[in-house]
Structures are given as C-alpha cells and as structure tokens.
Amino acid sequence: MATIKIDTTKYPGNIINNAFSPTSETRHSINPSTGEPLYEVPVSTKSDVDAAVKHARAAFKSWSTTSFSERSKLLIVYASAIEANREELEKLLVLEQGKPLTLAKSELDMTLTWLRAFATMEVKDEVLDSNSERTVLQTFPPIGVCCGIVPWNWPVLLNVGKVGPALITGNTIIIKPSPFTPYCDLKLGEIGMSVFPPGVFQVVSGGDDLGPMLTEHPGIDKVSFTGSIATGKKVMESCARTLKRVTLELGGNDPAIICEDVEIDKIVPKLATLAFLNSGQICMLVKRFYIHEKIYDRFRDAMVEFTKTIKTGDGFEPDVLVGPIQNSMQFEKVKDMYAEIDKCSWTTAFSGGVREASKGYFITPAIIDNPPEDSRIVTEEPFGPIVPLLKWSDENDAIERANSGETGLGASVWTKDLARGEKIARQLSAGSVWVNSHFDVAPNVPFGGHKWSGIGTEWGIAGLKSYCNSRSLWIWKNVM
Ligand code: NAD
C-alpha cells in the first residue's frame, strides 16, 4: 500500500482576503480507512465569518464590474494551478474522504473540465422586445456575496461546482467545507490566493455551528447548499429570515427501470458499479432496481456474480471499488440498515457486512432480493453499498413505484427500444433522467432535483442564472 506522508501538523488558517487567517481553536478529522488522525484545521468563530463577509462585500464592488473575459482568464489560470497540484490533492482526497485513488483522479479530471467549461459560459443579455420605439432586455447582474456549503462525499468537484459559476457571473464566494472533509477544500482556497483578487474566493472551516453562522449572516446574499434533505430544510428556514437566494441540492433515492429486452451481461457491470461506486455515497447512484419479472432471476444472478468481483479496501490499494464509509455517523446509519436484514427477514442475494477486524469504517456490498416495497431499504436513501432488487410486470406500475416517495433527483430506463425508453423517461419525476445510462453529469447541463431532492438547479446556463438577479431593462428611444 502506498504510504503518504502528511508533512503538516497544523494547517495555517482559514483563507480570508488572500491570506491565512489562523483561529485560536483547531480540530481535525480522521482517515476513514485507518482511523488515524489527520492534521489540525481551523475552527471558525463568528468574527472569522464577519471578516470573510466584510472582505467579500468589498471585493464584490470591483469583481462584479470586471469583464467576462478577465474573469474567464482567471478561472482558466485557477484550473491550471489546480492541475499543477493535482497529485497532492488526489492523495489528500483519498486520505480524508476514503474513496479509491482512481475515483479521486476522476474527481480531479471532472474538476478541471468543469472549471474550464464554466470559463466559457457567459450569461448574455436576452432581447425580449425591440422595435423603433423601445428595446426591452433581460439582463443578469450578479447577486452579491455567495456562500457555498459543501458535503463530504464529493468535496472537490462540489466545491468548484459552486465557485466556478459564482465567480464567472461576477459574484464573490465563501466556501464552507464539511467538518468531515475540510482538507482539499482549504487547499483549493490556498491555490486560489495567488489567482483571484483578495476577497473574491475565501474558505472558512469549522465545526457544526459554522453552517448556521453563514446562513444567518445578513451580509450574505445567496446560499448554494449541497447535502442532506434534513439539513437543506434548516438552511432554507434560516435563509428565509434575511430572504437570501437559495439553491438546494439534496438527497436522492434513484430508481432504474430495467426492461425485458436488455442484454443483461452488457449492462450489469455498469449498473452494479453505479450502485456501489464511492461505497454508495453519491446522491445520484442507482438506489432501487426495478427489473422486469421475465429477466429478474438472470439479472439478479449476474449482478451477484459481478458483485463477487468487487474489491473493498483502503483507497490506496489497487483495484478497490468500495472504500470505507466516510465517517462514524454515516457508518452507524449504514450498519443500522444492514441490521434490518435480519430484523425484517429480507432475503439477500448477496450478503455483505462489517469488516470487524479493521479499524476503518469498512462494510462490503449487499444485494437484497425483492424486499417489500414499503421496507426501509426501498423507501430510504441508505448512502452505503446496499441495494434492493425489485420485480415489475406492468409498465405503468413500474413508473408509479419509481415515482413514489419524497425524492426526485435522478432516474433511468434501460431498454433497446429507444422510443419506449423515452416514453417512460418523460413520465419520471426527477431532475435528471437517462435512457441506458445513469449518473451522467456535465458542466453545461443543468443539475437539480424534483420534490425534496432540491430547489433550483446548478450548472448549465440555467444554473449560472441562479447566481444572478433578473433585471428587465426598458430603453425608450424617442422620448426627448
Ligand atoms: P449534511 O446535510 O449533513 O451536511 C452538508 C453540509 O451542511 C456540511 O458542510 C455540513 O457541515 C453543513 N451543515 C450541517 N448543518 C448545517 C446547518 N444547520 N446549516 C448550514 N449548514 C449545515 O450532508 P452530508 O452528510 O455531508 O452529505 C450527504 C447527503 O448529501 C446525502 O443525503 C446526499 O444524497 C446529499 N448529496 C446531494 C448532492 C446533490 O447534488 N443533490 C450531492 C452530494 C450529496
């Protein structure tokens, strides 16, 4: 196994106004594969937040009037600076998050692609009416000071997925990492210090009380939050007091409807990977498999055979697909879901379980064979490597079951008949729907959820507009 030396015993501070800003208190999180502590990071107080907001407000004055081409140029420089540090970031990401190194590399690939794409995306004025008397334009000025609140499962991409859109549209932004994964997010701020003007991009790190300090702060104009539904509701409630603009990217419980005409051997490796990737800790993985009854048994058996080949272990070991669960709180939640197997007498097609001998939070994949539709494994997002397989025979029934529940983040249909696939896809209530795929995302494609999976969208021009106000500009030509 690769041994990574951490040469820092204490990170120098928050990233405020392009300088390290130390805090009197510090904390650390741990490597979830080994339980070993990582280095100390800041614990921000209200005065740190006040300082960041003050500098962000000051910086907004000039950044909001900086040309698109200049902002674009700096985003490209920033992407190159991240690229120059990518190896260190990838290793740090494995250390703090637990994901396999190959997945950390693909997170960095996506990060660079996303930033470089945002740098080309200009939200242009739209001409709504133009005649000899008047021109009416819709213009999109930046909102002001934004705050990006980031979760622990995808801390690099979901950070730049907020920083890029905020900055290219002329806002300033303060990022708050998850207390479980502050390390890469602080490094991303540190890299930004030599690229952006002071106050434009800042990072404040801390404990559980830091999120509310930011959502309540009257000097922040918009919050973009990615995380759980429960916290998303608190964020919205808190933001309502100062009428902040809010974007919420929340949890999902994605269904995949598998029709009877698929080639099982071709799709099972992809589908099983899309269930267990990042140990199931991705908002938009397949979390419920609805399989046509004619192929159910063959599909289940092929899925079991493939799952037997999946390696669970430390992210630095070669060929690992399932790393540890990221933190003890999530580990307890996932263990509780596994405990339901015996309690509720579910049939397992493949039984996974906790690796008792390890100090890390390891739990191997499990496949539940046709549990009742109202069981927790079907109705809840487990956020771990455990999935239910379910049977269907009537298409409308499959659609109805796929659409049940409070979430609507992603959904997919798998069939050779593309017309049928599209017809089903158009009836699925989710922010992203795929025919013969799942979890495709792109920086130029809006991403968001229906129902309790979120409010608003990020990415794409529509997502960039969520970092802008709308200004209708009426210009009368012949008054004087
Ligand atoms: P979480 O809600 O516990 O935490 C998310 C962030 O919110 C963290 O930075 C946390 O410190 C902060 N936070 C906690 N309490 C807060 C409060 N009262 N006010 C403001 N901020 C607060 O979520 P998590 O456990 O880090 O992430 C897992 C969840 O996120 C899953 O449900 C997953 O589906 C969802 N998720 C959604 C998306 C998406 O884009 N839709 C992407 C990734 C993860």
Short mmCIF file of all heavy atoms in Angstrom, two decimals, residues 148-154 158 162 176-181 206-215 223 225-232 234-235 238 248-253 280-284 287 326-327 329-330 333 381 383 409 447-449 453-454 458-459, ligand 1:
data_model
loop_
_atom_site.label_atom_id
_atom_site.label_comp_id
_atom_site.label_asym_id
_atom_site.label_seq_id
_atom_site.Cartn_x
_atom_site.Cartn_y
_atom_site.Cartn_z
N GLY A 148 -21.06 28.90 -0.38
CA GLY A 148 -21.22 27.52 -0.86
C GLY A 148 -20.99 26.56 0.28
O GLY A 148 -19.92 26.56 0.90
N ILE A 149 -21.99 25.75 0.60
CA ILE A 149 -21.87 24.76 1.68
C ILE A 149 -21.76 23.39 1.04
O ILE A 149 -22.62 22.97 0.27
CB ILE A 149 -23.08 24.86 2.64
CG1 ILE A 149 -23.14 26.26 3.25
CG2 ILE A 149 -22.98 23.80 3.74
CD1 ILE A 149 -24.28 26.49 4.23
N VAL A 150 -20.65 22.70 1.36
CA VAL A 150 -20.23 21.52 0.61
C VAL A 150 -20.33 20.27 1.50
O VAL A 150 -20.00 20.32 2.68
CB VAL A 150 -18.75 21.73 0.15
CG1 VAL A 150 -18.23 20.55 -0.64
CG2 VAL A 150 -18.63 23.02 -0.67
N PRO A 151 -20.77 19.13 0.94
CA PRO A 151 -20.82 17.88 1.73
C PRO A 151 -19.50 17.11 1.68
O PRO A 151 -18.56 17.52 1.00
CB PRO A 151 -21.92 17.08 1.04
CG PRO A 151 -21.80 17.46 -0.40
CD PRO A 151 -21.28 18.89 -0.43
N TRP A 152 -19.47 15.95 2.34
CA TRP A 152 -18.23 15.19 2.48
C TRP A 152 -18.01 14.14 1.41
O TRP A 152 -16.97 13.50 1.36
CB TRP A 152 -18.13 14.53 3.86
CG TRP A 152 -19.37 13.79 4.31
CD1 TRP A 152 -20.28 14.25 5.22
CD2 TRP A 152 -19.83 12.51 3.89
NE1 TRP A 152 -21.30 13.33 5.38
CE2 TRP A 152 -21.04 12.25 4.57
CE3 TRP A 152 -19.36 11.54 3.01
CZ2 TRP A 152 -21.78 11.08 4.40
CZ3 TRP A 152 -20.09 10.37 2.82
CH2 TRP A 152 -21.28 10.15 3.50
N ASN A 153 -19.01 13.90 0.54
CA ASN A 153 -18.84 12.76 -0.37
C ASN A 153 -18.08 13.09 -1.64
O ASN A 153 -17.45 12.23 -2.24
CB ASN A 153 -20.21 12.16 -0.71
CG ASN A 153 -21.10 13.11 -1.47
OD1 ASN A 153 -20.93 14.32 -1.43
ND2 ASN A 153 -22.07 12.56 -2.17
N TRP A 154 -18.10 14.38 -2.04
CA TRP A 154 -17.53 14.78 -3.32
C TRP A 154 -16.97 16.20 -3.13
O TRP A 154 -17.38 17.15 -3.78
CB TRP A 154 -18.68 14.77 -4.34
CG TRP A 154 -18.40 14.23 -5.70
CD1 TRP A 154 -18.45 14.94 -6.86
CD2 TRP A 154 -18.08 12.89 -6.09
NE1 TRP A 154 -18.16 14.12 -7.92
CE2 TRP A 154 -17.94 12.86 -7.48
CE3 TRP A 154 -17.88 11.70 -5.38
CZ2 TRP A 154 -17.62 11.71 -8.19
CZ3 TRP A 154 -17.57 10.56 -6.08
CH2 TRP A 154 -17.43 10.57 -7.47
N LEU A 158 -17.75 19.31 -5.92
CA LEU A 158 -18.91 20.09 -5.48
C LEU A 158 -18.49 21.47 -4.96
O LEU A 158 -19.30 22.39 -4.93
CB LEU A 158 -19.73 19.31 -4.45
CG LEU A 158 -20.36 18.03 -5.02
CD1 LEU A 158 -21.10 17.24 -3.95
CD2 LEU A 158 -21.30 18.33 -6.19
N LYS A 162 -19.54 25.13 -7.36
CA LYS A 162 -20.16 26.35 -6.85
C LYS A 162 -19.26 27.56 -7.13
O LYS A 162 -19.74 28.63 -7.52
CB LYS A 162 -20.43 26.23 -5.34
CG LYS A 162 -21.39 25.10 -5.00
CD LYS A 162 -21.65 25.00 -3.51
CE LYS A 162 -22.40 23.72 -3.16
NZ LYS A 162 -23.68 23.50 -3.86
N LYS A 176 -17.74 26.85 2.62
CA LYS A 176 -17.66 26.15 3.91
C LYS A 176 -17.60 24.65 3.65
O LYS A 176 -18.58 24.05 3.20
CB LYS A 176 -18.89 26.45 4.79
CG LYS A 176 -18.71 25.90 6.18
CD LYS A 176 -20.01 25.63 6.90
CE LYS A 176 -20.57 24.27 6.67
NZ LYS A 176 -19.78 23.13 7.18
N PRO A 177 -16.45 24.02 3.94
CA PRO A 177 -16.36 22.56 3.75
C PRO A 177 -17.13 21.82 4.83
O PRO A 177 -17.47 22.38 5.87
CB PRO A 177 -14.86 22.27 3.92
CG PRO A 177 -14.17 23.57 4.13
CD PRO A 177 -15.20 24.60 4.45
N SER A 178 -17.36 20.53 4.58
CA SER A 178 -17.89 19.67 5.64
C SER A 178 -16.81 19.50 6.71
O SER A 178 -15.62 19.34 6.37
CB SER A 178 -18.26 18.32 5.06
OG SER A 178 -18.42 17.38 6.11
N PRO A 179 -17.17 19.48 7.99
CA PRO A 179 -16.16 19.21 9.03
C PRO A 179 -15.47 17.86 8.84
O PRO A 179 -14.36 17.66 9.31
CB PRO A 179 -16.97 19.22 10.33
CG PRO A 179 -18.24 19.92 10.01
CD PRO A 179 -18.50 19.73 8.55
N PHE A 180 -16.12 16.93 8.11
CA PHE A 180 -15.50 15.62 7.89
C PHE A 180 -14.42 15.67 6.80
O PHE A 180 -13.52 14.84 6.78
CB PHE A 180 -16.56 14.59 7.46
CG PHE A 180 -17.58 14.29 8.53
CD1 PHE A 180 -18.91 14.61 8.37
CD2 PHE A 180 -17.18 13.68 9.72
CE1 PHE A 180 -19.85 14.33 9.35
CE2 PHE A 180 -18.11 13.40 10.72
CZ PHE A 180 -19.45 13.72 10.54
N THR A 181 -14.52 16.62 5.88
CA THR A 181 -13.57 16.69 4.74
C THR A 181 -13.13 18.13 4.46
O THR A 181 -13.42 18.68 3.38
CB THR A 181 -14.23 16.11 3.46
OG1 THR A 181 -15.48 16.77 3.28
CG2 THR A 181 -14.41 14.61 3.52
N GLY A 206 -14.73 24.85 9.94
CA GLY A 206 -15.08 24.81 11.35
C GLY A 206 -15.91 23.62 11.73
O GLY A 206 -15.88 22.59 11.03
N GLY A 207 -16.64 23.75 12.82
CA GLY A 207 -17.45 22.65 13.33
C GLY A 207 -18.90 22.78 12.90
O GLY A 207 -19.23 23.53 11.97
N ASP A 208 -19.76 22.07 13.62
CA ASP A 208 -21.17 22.01 13.23
C ASP A 208 -21.90 23.35 13.34
O ASP A 208 -22.94 23.54 12.74
CB ASP A 208 -21.91 21.00 14.13
CG ASP A 208 -21.44 19.57 13.85
OD1 ASP A 208 -20.90 19.35 12.74
OD2 ASP A 208 -21.60 18.71 14.74
N ASP A 209 -21.33 24.28 14.15
CA ASP A 209 -22.03 25.56 14.33
C ASP A 209 -21.73 26.56 13.23
O ASP A 209 -22.34 27.62 13.16
CB ASP A 209 -21.67 26.16 15.70
CG ASP A 209 -20.16 26.35 15.86
OD1 ASP A 209 -19.39 25.80 15.03
OD2 ASP A 209 -19.75 27.06 16.80
N LEU A 210 -20.81 26.23 12.33
CA LEU A 210 -20.39 27.23 11.33
C LEU A 210 -21.46 27.44 10.24
O LEU A 210 -21.68 28.59 9.81
CB LEU A 210 -19.05 26.80 10.70
CG LEU A 210 -18.47 27.71 9.63
CD1 LEU A 210 -18.30 29.14 10.14
CD2 LEU A 210 -17.11 27.16 9.15
N GLY A 211 -22.13 26.36 9.81
CA GLY A 211 -23.16 26.49 8.76
C GLY A 211 -24.21 27.53 9.15
O GLY A 211 -24.45 28.48 8.38
N PRO A 212 -24.83 27.38 10.33
CA PRO A 212 -25.85 28.37 10.71
C PRO A 212 -25.30 29.80 10.81
O PRO A 212 -26.02 30.76 10.49
CB PRO A 212 -26.32 27.88 12.09
CG PRO A 212 -26.05 26.40 12.06
CD PRO A 212 -24.81 26.22 11.23
N MET A 213 -24.03 29.96 11.23
CA MET A 213 -23.46 31.34 11.28
C MET A 213 -23.49 31.97 9.88
O MET A 213 -23.70 33.17 9.74
CB MET A 213 -21.99 31.29 11.72
CG MET A 213 -21.77 31.03 13.19
SD MET A 213 -19.98 31.12 13.47
CE MET A 213 -19.77 29.86 14.69
N LEU A 214 -23.27 31.15 8.87
CA LEU A 214 -23.24 31.67 7.49
C LEU A 214 -24.66 31.90 6.95
O LEU A 214 -24.95 32.93 6.36
CB LEU A 214 -22.48 30.70 6.59
CG LEU A 214 -20.97 30.66 6.86
CD1 LEU A 214 -20.36 29.33 6.42
CD2 LEU A 214 -20.27 31.82 6.16
N THR A 215 -25.55 30.91 7.18
CA THR A 215 -26.90 31.05 6.60
C THR A 215 -27.67 32.20 7.26
O THR A 215 -28.54 32.80 6.65
CB THR A 215 -27.71 29.74 6.72
OG1 THR A 215 -27.75 29.34 8.09
CG2 THR A 215 -27.09 28.63 5.89
N VAL A 223 -27.12 31.48 -0.76
CA VAL A 223 -26.50 30.25 -0.28
C VAL A 223 -26.76 29.14 -1.30
O VAL A 223 -27.90 28.94 -1.73
CB VAL A 223 -27.07 29.83 1.10
CG1 VAL A 223 -26.59 28.44 1.49
CG2 VAL A 223 -26.66 30.84 2.17
N PHE A 225 -26.37 25.24 -1.32
CA PHE A 225 -26.14 24.17 -0.35
C PHE A 225 -26.24 22.80 -1.02
O PHE A 225 -27.20 22.54 -1.75
CB PHE A 225 -27.20 24.26 0.77
CG PHE A 225 -27.21 23.07 1.68
CD1 PHE A 225 -26.35 23.01 2.77
CD2 PHE A 225 -28.08 22.00 1.46
CE1 PHE A 225 -26.34 21.89 3.61
CE2 PHE A 225 -28.08 20.89 2.29
CZ PHE A 225 -27.21 20.84 3.38
N THR A 226 -25.29 21.94 -0.77
CA THR A 226 -25.41 20.54 -1.18
C THR A 226 -25.27 19.68 0.06
O THR A 226 -24.28 19.81 0.81
CB THR A 226 -24.33 20.16 -2.21
OG1 THR A 226 -24.45 21.03 -3.34
CG2 THR A 226 -24.52 18.72 -2.69
N GLY A 227 -26.24 18.80 0.29
CA GLY A 227 -26.20 17.96 1.47
C GLY A 227 -27.51 17.23 1.65
O GLY A 227 -28.24 16.99 0.69
N SER A 228 -27.81 16.90 2.89
CA SER A 228 -28.99 16.07 3.16
C SER A 228 -30.28 16.89 3.14
O SER A 228 -30.26 18.12 3.31
CB SER A 228 -28.82 15.39 4.52
OG SER A 228 -28.76 16.39 5.51
N ILE A 229 -31.38 16.18 2.97
CA ILE A 229 -32.69 16.84 2.93
C ILE A 229 -32.96 17.52 4.27
O ILE A 229 -33.41 18.67 4.32
CB ILE A 229 -33.79 15.81 2.60
CG1 ILE A 229 -33.61 15.32 1.15
CG2 ILE A 229 -35.19 16.39 2.81
CD1 ILE A 229 -34.49 14.15 0.76
N ALA A 230 -32.65 16.83 5.36
CA ALA A 230 -32.94 17.39 6.70
C ALA A 230 -32.20 18.71 6.89
O ALA A 230 -32.79 19.70 7.34
CB ALA A 230 -32.54 16.37 7.77
N THR A 231 -30.91 18.75 6.53
CA THR A 231 -30.16 19.99 6.71
C THR A 231 -30.63 21.04 5.70
O THR A 231 -30.71 22.24 6.03
CB THR A 231 -28.64 19.74 6.56
OG1 THR A 231 -28.27 18.64 7.35
CG2 THR A 231 -27.84 20.94 7.00
N GLY A 232 -30.96 20.60 4.50
CA GLY A 232 -31.45 21.54 3.48
C GLY A 232 -32.66 22.32 3.97
O GLY A 232 -32.78 23.53 3.73
N LYS A 234 -33.34 23.04 7.06
CA LYS A 234 -32.87 24.02 8.07
C LYS A 234 -32.23 25.22 7.38
O LYS A 234 -32.41 26.36 7.80
CB LYS A 234 -31.82 23.37 8.98
CG LYS A 234 -32.39 22.39 9.96
CD LYS A 234 -31.29 21.95 10.92
CE LYS A 234 -31.67 20.67 11.63
NZ LYS A 234 -30.56 19.95 12.17
N VAL A 235 -31.48 24.95 6.32
CA VAL A 235 -30.80 26.03 5.59
C VAL A 235 -31.84 26.98 5.01
O VAL A 235 -31.74 28.21 5.13
CB VAL A 235 -29.89 25.44 4.49
CG1 VAL A 235 -29.43 26.51 3.51
CG2 VAL A 235 -28.68 24.73 5.11
N SER A 238 -33.46 29.07 7.71
CA SER A 238 -32.55 30.10 8.21
C SER A 238 -32.39 31.22 7.19
O SER A 238 -32.40 32.41 7.53
CB SER A 238 -31.21 29.45 8.55
OG SER A 238 -30.23 30.41 8.74
N LEU A 248 -30.76 24.49 -3.39
CA LEU A 248 -30.58 23.30 -2.56
C LEU A 248 -30.39 22.08 -3.46
O LEU A 248 -31.24 21.79 -4.31
CB LEU A 248 -31.80 23.07 -1.66
CG LEU A 248 -32.18 24.19 -0.68
CD1 LEU A 248 -33.46 23.81 0.08
CD2 LEU A 248 -31.06 24.47 0.31
N GLU A 249 -29.27 21.39 -3.29
CA GLU A 249 -29.02 20.12 -3.99
C GLU A 249 -29.00 19.05 -2.90
O GLU A 249 -28.04 18.96 -2.14
CB GLU A 249 -27.66 20.16 -4.71
CG GLU A 249 -27.54 21.22 -5.77
CD GLU A 249 -28.35 20.91 -7.03
OE1 GLU A 249 -28.94 19.82 -7.11
OE2 GLU A 249 -28.39 21.78 -7.91
N LEU A 250 -30.06 18.23 -2.85
CA LEU A 250 -30.24 17.36 -1.67
C LEU A 250 -30.20 15.88 -2.04
O LEU A 250 -29.72 15.51 -3.09
CB LEU A 250 -31.55 17.75 -0.97
CG LEU A 250 -31.71 19.26 -0.68
CD1 LEU A 250 -33.04 19.55 -0.02
CD2 LEU A 250 -30.56 19.77 0.18
N GLY A 251 -30.69 15.07 -1.14
CA GLY A 251 -30.55 13.63 -1.30
C GLY A 251 -31.44 13.05 -2.40
O GLY A 251 -32.33 13.71 -2.92
N GLY A 252 -31.17 11.80 -2.74
CA GLY A 252 -31.97 11.12 -3.76
C GLY A 252 -32.15 9.66 -3.40
O GLY A 252 -31.49 9.13 -2.50
N ASN A 253 -33.08 9.02 -4.09
CA ASN A 253 -33.28 7.57 -3.93
C ASN A 253 -33.60 7.03 -5.32
O ASN A 253 -34.70 6.54 -5.58
CB ASN A 253 -34.41 7.31 -2.92
CG ASN A 253 -34.43 5.87 -2.47
OD1 ASN A 253 -33.50 5.10 -2.73
ND2 ASN A 253 -35.52 5.47 -1.83
N GLY A 280 -21.44 3.65 -2.37
CA GLY A 280 -22.86 4.04 -2.36
C GLY A 280 -23.10 5.45 -1.87
O GLY A 280 -24.25 5.89 -1.74
N GLN A 281 -22.03 6.19 -1.63
CA GLN A 281 -22.18 7.53 -1.02
C GLN A 281 -22.16 8.63 -2.09
O GLN A 281 -21.35 9.55 -2.06
CB GLN A 281 -21.05 7.78 -0.02
CG GLN A 281 -20.96 6.73 1.07
CD GLN A 281 -19.68 6.85 1.87
OE1 GLN A 281 -19.71 7.15 3.05
NE2 GLN A 281 -18.54 6.63 1.25
N ILE A 282 -23.06 8.49 -3.05
CA ILE A 282 -23.24 9.54 -4.06
C ILE A 282 -24.74 9.77 -4.16
O ILE A 282 -25.54 8.82 -4.12
CB ILE A 282 -22.66 9.12 -5.43
CG1 ILE A 282 -21.15 8.85 -5.32
CG2 ILE A 282 -22.92 10.21 -6.48
CD1 ILE A 282 -20.47 8.46 -6.62
N CYS A 283 -25.11 11.06 -4.28
CA CYS A 283 -26.53 11.37 -4.27
C CYS A 283 -27.29 10.70 -5.41
O CYS A 283 -28.43 10.32 -5.27
CB CYS A 283 -26.71 12.89 -4.34
SG CYS A 283 -25.80 13.65 -5.69
N MET A 284 -26.62 10.52 -6.57
CA MET A 284 -27.34 10.09 -7.78
C MET A 284 -26.96 8.70 -8.24
O MET A 284 -26.96 8.44 -9.43
CB MET A 284 -27.05 11.07 -8.90
CG MET A 284 -28.14 12.08 -9.04
SD MET A 284 -28.10 13.04 -10.53
CE MET A 284 -26.48 13.00 -11.12
N LYS A 287 -30.30 3.46 -6.56
CA LYS A 287 -30.58 3.00 -5.20
C LYS A 287 -31.78 2.05 -5.14
O LYS A 287 -32.06 1.46 -4.10
CB LYS A 287 -30.77 4.21 -4.28
CG LYS A 287 -29.43 4.96 -4.14
CD LYS A 287 -29.48 6.25 -3.35
CE LYS A 287 -28.11 6.92 -3.40
NZ LYS A 287 -28.17 8.35 -3.33
N GLN A 326 -17.50 7.09 4.97
CA GLN A 326 -16.62 8.23 5.22
C GLN A 326 -16.48 8.61 6.69
O GLN A 326 -15.43 9.09 7.12
CB GLN A 326 -17.11 9.46 4.42
CG GLN A 326 -16.02 10.49 4.18
CD GLN A 326 -15.77 11.37 5.38
OE1 GLN A 326 -16.70 11.70 6.12
NE2 GLN A 326 -14.51 11.76 5.60
N ASN A 327 -17.52 8.41 7.49
CA ASN A 327 -17.40 8.87 8.88
C ASN A 327 -18.23 7.99 9.81
O ASN A 327 -19.09 7.22 9.35
CB ASN A 327 -17.82 10.35 9.00
CG ASN A 327 -19.22 10.60 8.49
OD1 ASN A 327 -20.19 10.18 9.11
ND2 ASN A 327 -19.36 11.22 7.32
N MET A 329 -20.59 8.63 11.92
CA MET A 329 -22.04 8.86 11.96
C MET A 329 -22.72 8.09 10.81
O MET A 329 -23.70 7.38 11.01
CB MET A 329 -22.29 10.37 11.83
CG MET A 329 -23.72 10.79 11.85
SD MET A 329 -23.88 12.46 11.22
CE MET A 329 -23.49 12.24 9.50
N GLN A 330 -22.14 8.23 9.60
CA GLN A 330 -22.70 7.54 8.44
C GLN A 330 -22.54 6.03 8.57
O GLN A 330 -23.43 5.26 8.19
CB GLN A 330 -22.02 8.06 7.16
CG GLN A 330 -22.64 7.57 5.87
CD GLN A 330 -24.10 7.97 5.72
OE1 GLN A 330 -24.53 9.01 6.22
NE2 GLN A 330 -24.88 7.12 5.08
N LYS A 333 -25.28 4.69 10.58
CA LYS A 333 -26.54 4.68 9.81
C LYS A 333 -26.58 3.48 8.87
O LYS A 333 -27.60 2.81 8.73
CB LYS A 333 -26.66 5.96 8.97
CG LYS A 333 -27.12 7.17 9.74
CD LYS A 333 -27.45 8.27 8.75
CE LYS A 333 -27.54 9.61 9.43
NZ LYS A 333 -27.56 10.73 8.52
N GLU A 381 -32.89 6.52 1.48
CA GLU A 381 -31.57 6.57 0.84
C GLU A 381 -30.55 5.99 1.82
O GLU A 381 -30.27 6.60 2.86
CB GLU A 381 -31.21 8.04 0.55
CG GLU A 381 -29.83 8.24 -0.03
CD GLU A 381 -29.39 9.71 -0.09
OE1 GLU A 381 -29.64 10.48 0.87
OE2 GLU A 381 -28.77 10.08 -1.10
N PHE A 383 -27.25 5.47 1.47
CA PHE A 383 -25.94 6.11 1.39
C PHE A 383 -24.84 5.16 1.86
O PHE A 383 -23.95 5.51 2.63
CB PHE A 383 -25.93 7.43 2.18
CG PHE A 383 -25.37 8.57 1.37
CD1 PHE A 383 -25.88 8.89 0.13
CD2 PHE A 383 -24.31 9.34 1.84
CE1 PHE A 383 -25.38 9.92 -0.63
CE2 PHE A 383 -23.79 10.38 1.09
CZ PHE A 383 -24.33 10.68 -0.15
N LEU A 409 -34.31 12.96 -7.61
CA LEU A 409 -33.03 13.51 -8.08
C LEU A 409 -32.69 12.96 -9.46
O LEU A 409 -32.61 13.69 -10.44
CB LEU A 409 -31.93 13.18 -7.06
CG LEU A 409 -30.62 13.94 -7.24
CD1 LEU A 409 -30.83 15.44 -7.17
CD2 LEU A 409 -29.59 13.51 -6.20
N PHE A 447 -28.44 20.73 -13.39
CA PHE A 447 -28.49 19.61 -12.47
C PHE A 447 -29.29 20.05 -11.25
O PHE A 447 -29.02 21.09 -10.67
CB PHE A 447 -27.05 19.25 -12.09
CG PHE A 447 -26.95 18.29 -10.94
CD1 PHE A 447 -27.33 16.97 -11.11
CD2 PHE A 447 -26.47 18.69 -9.71
CE1 PHE A 447 -27.26 16.08 -10.06
CE2 PHE A 447 -26.38 17.81 -8.65
CZ PHE A 447 -26.78 16.50 -8.83
N GLY A 448 -30.31 19.27 -10.88
CA GLY A 448 -31.11 19.64 -9.72
C GLY A 448 -32.12 18.56 -9.43
O GLY A 448 -32.13 17.52 -10.10
N GLY A 449 -32.97 18.80 -8.45
CA GLY A 449 -33.90 17.74 -8.06
C GLY A 449 -35.35 18.18 -8.10
O GLY A 449 -35.66 19.37 -8.00
N SER A 453 -35.73 16.58 -3.37
CA SER A 453 -34.32 16.47 -3.76
C SER A 453 -33.69 17.82 -4.06
O SER A 453 -32.49 17.87 -4.35
CB SER A 453 -34.17 15.55 -4.97
OG SER A 453 -34.36 14.21 -4.57
N GLY A 454 -34.46 18.87 -3.99
CA GLY A 454 -33.81 20.17 -4.12
C GLY A 454 -34.70 21.28 -4.61
O GLY A 454 -35.87 21.08 -4.96
N GLU A 458 -28.15 23.78 -10.49
CA GLU A 458 -26.79 24.30 -10.66
C GLU A 458 -26.30 23.83 -12.01
O GLU A 458 -26.82 22.87 -12.59
CB GLU A 458 -25.88 23.77 -9.56
CG GLU A 458 -26.32 24.27 -8.20
CD GLU A 458 -25.16 24.54 -7.24
OE1 GLU A 458 -24.62 23.57 -6.70
OE2 GLU A 458 -24.83 25.71 -7.04
N TRP A 459 -25.25 24.46 -12.51
CA TRP A 459 -24.60 24.09 -13.77
C TRP A 459 -25.51 24.40 -14.97
O TRP A 459 -26.70 24.62 -14.84
CB TRP A 459 -24.13 22.63 -13.77
CG TRP A 459 -23.34 22.27 -12.54
CD1 TRP A 459 -22.78 23.14 -11.64
CD2 TRP A 459 -23.02 20.95 -12.06
NE1 TRP A 459 -22.13 22.43 -10.65
CE2 TRP A 459 -22.27 21.09 -10.89
CE3 TRP A 459 -23.31 19.66 -12.53
CZ2 TRP A 459 -21.79 20.01 -10.15
CZ3 TRP A 459 -22.83 18.57 -11.80
CH2 TRP A 459 -22.08 18.75 -10.62
P1 NAD B 1 -25.21 17.20 5.61
O1 NAD B 1 -26.53 17.81 5.31
O2 NAD B 1 -25.02 16.53 6.90
O3 NAD B 1 -24.05 18.29 5.51
C1 NAD B 1 -23.84 19.06 4.34
C2 NAD B 1 -23.14 20.35 4.72
O4 NAD B 1 -24.02 21.15 5.52
C3 NAD B 1 -21.87 20.16 5.56
O5 NAD B 1 -20.91 21.12 5.14
C4 NAD B 1 -22.36 20.47 6.96
O6 NAD B 1 -21.35 20.91 7.83
C5 NAD B 1 -23.35 21.59 6.69
N1 NAD B 1 -24.36 21.82 7.73
C6 NAD B 1 -24.76 20.97 8.71
N2 NAD B 1 -25.74 21.55 9.46
C7 NAD B 1 -25.95 22.78 8.92
C8 NAD B 1 -26.85 23.85 9.23
N3 NAD B 1 -27.74 23.76 10.23
N4 NAD B 1 -26.80 24.97 8.48
C9 NAD B 1 -25.94 25.06 7.42
N5 NAD B 1 -25.06 24.08 7.09
C10 NAD B 1 -25.07 22.96 7.82
O7 NAD B 1 -24.94 16.23 4.36
P2 NAD B 1 -23.73 15.22 4.19
O8 NAD B 1 -23.98 14.10 5.15
O9 NAD B 1 -22.46 15.98 4.22
O10 NAD B 1 -23.96 14.71 2.69
C11 NAD B 1 -24.72 13.58 2.38
C12 NAD B 1 -26.08 13.98 1.82
O11 NAD B 1 -25.91 14.93 0.77
C13 NAD B 1 -26.82 12.82 1.19
O12 NAD B 1 -28.18 12.88 1.51
C14 NAD B 1 -26.64 13.05 -0.32
O13 NAD B 1 -27.64 12.48 -1.13
C15 NAD B 1 -26.63 14.53 -0.38
N6 NAD B 1 -25.91 15.00 -1.57
C16 NAD B 1 -26.63 15.62 -2.54
C17 NAD B 1 -25.99 16.03 -3.70
C18 NAD B 1 -26.73 16.74 -4.79
O14 NAD B 1 -26.07 17.39 -5.59
N7 NAD B 1 -28.04 16.68 -4.86
C19 NAD B 1 -24.62 15.81 -3.85
C20 NAD B 1 -23.93 15.18 -2.83
C21 NAD B 1 -24.59 14.78 -1.68
#
